[in-house]
Amino acid sequence: MRHRKVLALLGSYLDGELDPRLRDGIEAHLRGCPACSKERDALRAVDALAANARLPQAPPTYWETFAGRVTAGLRGLELPISRKETAMFQDSFIKPERRTATRAVVFPLSLAAHAIIAALLIIFPLLQTGNVPRIEITSAFLAPPPPPPPPPPPPAKKASTSNVKRIKPVQAQTNFEAGKLVAPVEIPDQIAEEQISDVGIEGGVEGGVEGGVIGGVLGGVVGGVLGGVVGEVEAPVRAIGEIKPPRLIKQVDPTYPEIARQARVEGIVILEAQTDLYGRVATMKILRSIPLLDQAALDAVRQWVYEPMIINGRPRGVIFTVTVRFTLK
């Protein structure tokens, strides 16, 4: 252990405040260092002298009357100050003269002078108009764009209708079955234009209607189905049990609303649809609603076409459930 460190720790060593490890190190150093041993003996002698010294004891009333005695001594204390020092301090205090009348005159004059100088600094540059740069103003007139050209005239109609070929009715045997769709045998290359006034055909039935079919029922309606009963419309049936939903022939995909796409809304809209005698969707009712997607589902299902439902040889409307699914890609 170093000599300086031992000297710094001698006081703690003598008081017994060191741990055993440091204490053993100091004792080993003291055995081999005469200077440190001499310093230790001196400190022990001072401790012994302080322990054996007798201090004078103050009387019991000493500290109780200490404050009063100090106050009385300060009151009776007088510091001798010479007259020369008093005069010196009196000369160091300078009291300026109060010139109130002069200030009352000078202050308004100074204020007016400052105002005049400020006004001159503002007005003088405005009076010099020779150095003002010229400002050139260029007027630009914007003419509106020209209107779009008029649309081309419609094509001229045929000069005469005398060359229109008339279609003569031909009694042909129909192979149509009630409630069954049959494709035409031949598709003509060109369909001749007919005049509305010449809709009637030779050999027609008295009391028939325009657009009727040869061999139809008197009193029927245009677009009627063969085998139907005049004046009788049967109620639609609900697709439950043995009655299956009709087969879909034409399907139009719904258009995803842009507001629903931006809001990241998706899901399933369930509708209850009713078809007419021809398989077209007549009425709809929402069973499960998603407000942002309902109208898109209704618009799409309204364009769907189903195969007509035939029950007991007669076409019937069907009530069934339609599910429209909206999924974001």
Side-chain angles (χ1 to χ4, degrees):
M1 187 174 292
R2 295 183 179 182
H3 181 74
R4 292 182 179 180
K5 186 176 180 180
V6 172
L7 292 178
L9 295 176
L10 278 178
S12 301
Y13 168 76
L14 295 176
D15 294 339
E17 298 176 354
L18 300 179
D19 55 355
R21 184 174 60 83
L22 289 176
R23 187 179 184 85
D24 295 341
I26 291 175
E27 290 178 354
H29 180 79
L30 291 175
R31 285 193 295 269
C33 182
C36 293
S37 300
K38 186 177 180 180
E39 185 71 19
R40 178 196 58 185
D41 297 340
L43 291 176
R44 286 180 177 177
V46 171
D47 290 343
L49 181 62
N52 298 327
R54 295 182 179 179
L55 299 176
Q57 297 181 355
T61 60
Y62 178 79
W63 295 109
E64 296 178 359
T65 59
F66 180 77
R69 288 186 283 106
V70 170
T71 304
L74 292 176
R75 290 178 179 176
L77 183 62
E78 293 183 359
L79 296 176
I81 302 176
S82 61
R83 295 181 177 179
K84 184 177 181 180
E85 292 177 353
T86 304
M88 178 183 66
F89 284 107
Q90 288 180 354
D91 295 340
S92 62
F93 294 102
I94 300 174
K95 295 182 179 179
E97 298 179 0
R98 295 183 178 181
R99 296 177 293 180
T100 307
T102 305
R103 292 180 180 179
V105 175
V106 173
F107 179 74
L109 293 177
S110 175
L111 187 62
H114 283 79
I116 293 172
I117 294 173
L120 291 176
L121 292 176
I122 296 174
I123 297 173
F124 184 73
L126 299 178
L127 297 177
Q128 294 181 356
T129 58
N131 298 329
V132 178
R134 294 183 178 181
I135 300 176
E136 297 181 359
I137 301 176
T138 304
S139 300
F141 298 95
L142 300 178
K157 295 184 179 179
K158 294 182 179 180
S160 175
T161 58
S162 59
N163 297 329
V164 177
K165 298 180 180 180
R166 288 184 170 275
I167 301 175
K168 295 183 179 181
V170 178
Q171 293 289 344
Q173 186 178 0
T174 58
N175 297 325
F176 298 109
E177 296 181 6
K180 185 176 181 181
L181 299 178
V182 180
V185 179
E186 295 182 359
I187 300 177
D189 297 335
Q190 182 179 3
I191 299 176
E193 184 179 358
E194 298 183 2
Q195 295 182 357
I196 298 178
S197 61
D198 298 333
V199 173
I201 60 174
E202 297 179 1
V205 180
E206 184 180 357
V209 296
E210 296 181 359
V213 181
I214 298 176
V217 180
L218 184 62
V221 296
V222 178
V225 182
L226 295 177
V229 180
V230 178
E232 181 181 353
V233 179
E234 298 183 0
V237 296
R238 187 174 293 274
I240 55 175
E242 297 181 356
I243 302 177
K244 304 298 182 182
R247 184 172 64 89
L248 183 61
I249 298 175
K250 176 185 177 182
Q251 181 179 2
V252 177
D253 294 334
T255 302
Y256 216 111
E258 186 62 27
I259 186 173
R261 189 187 305 276
Q262 294 178 1
R264 310 295 297 175
V265 176
E266 59 182 3
I268 298 175
V269 178
I270 301 177
L271 307 176
E272 183 183 81
Q274 177 182 340
T275 59
D276 56 9
L277 301 179
Y278 310 104
R280 298 170 299 189
V281 178
T283 60
M284 289 176 290
K285 182 173 64 175
I286 299 176
L287 300 181
R288 180 178 178 182
S289 172
I290 300 179
L292 295 179
L293 303 175
D294 290 346
Q295 190 59 42
L298 293 173
D299 295 342
V301 175
R302 189 176 289 110
Q303 304 177 53
W304 292 4
V305 180
Y306 292 85
E307 183 179 0
M309 178 70 69
I310 305 299
I311 300 177
N312 297 328
R314 296 181 179 179
R316 300 281 293 274
V318 187
I319 301 175
F320 56 96
T321 303
V322 179
T323 301
V324 183
R325 186 183 302 273
F326 292 87
T327 306
L328 290 173
K329 296 182 181 180

